Amino acid sequence: GGFATGLASNARLLAGGEADITAIDFNDGYTPEELEEDLRRAIETYKDRSSVMILTDIMGGTPYLKAAALSVQYEKVRVLHGVSAALLLDLVIRNMSGNDGADPDSLAEELLQTAREGLGVFKLDLTAPDETEEEDGI
């Protein structure tokens, strides 16, 4: 649905510039065959790039399955699932700066590391600071 488009728009806004991104919405009434054709067309648009990253929401969904099948046909294509805003923003900034790497496997791993570092859980720590520090006698 609007997940890819919304994230792409937000990433452009946060990064403050234009990145070379193609967002494909998989909406109701959009067939898997149409999705596959649009993915193929997008991949061909980037055929001169050193790497092409396809970002999907969940593993096992139609966009993931179609992208994974196409990645077998294109050696520079990698498919990442479970995409976060942090990962997308990292990719957008790399793309805009021309630092999106020559090796698709290295780029994919660096993006996954960004996603891992962006995960966390807020926890309120109400413990008082340790007041047992010794005075230095002055």
Side-chain angles (χ1 to χ4, degrees), residues 23-44:
I24 300 172
D25 284 335
F26 186 56
N27 295 315
D28 290 338
Y30 191 56
T31 69
E33 293 74 27
E34 290 171 320
L35 173 63
E36 183 176 355
E37 185 54 38
D38 284 350
L39 284 169
R40 185 182 306 281
R41 196 173 304 120
I43 291 168
E44 288 294 328

Side-chain angles (χ1 to χ4, degrees), residues 54 86 89 91 106 129:
I54 300 177
L89 184 58
L91 182 59
S106 295

Side-chain angles (χ1 to χ4, degrees), residues 48-111:
D48 295 332
R49 296 293 183 104
S50 57
S51 58
V52 177
M53 300 289 123
I54 300 177
L55 312 179
T56 67
D57 52 359
I58 58 172
M59 183 172 74
T62 301
Y64 170 84
L65 294 173
K66 291 297 182 181
L70 286 169
S71 73
V72 174
Q73 301 171 27
Y74 296 91
E75 67 179 83
K76 297 185 286 185
V77 173
R78 299 296 178 272
V79 179
L80 287 77
H81 59 85
V83 171
S84 66
L87 183 152
L88 180 60
L89 184 58
D90 185 14
L91 182 59
V92 167
I93 291 171
R94 288 168 183 266
N95 179 263
M96 289 179 359
S97 68
N99 184 29
D100 43 3
D103 175 27
D105 290 321
S106 295
L107 177 58
E109 188 53 45
E110 289 173 18
L111 292 170

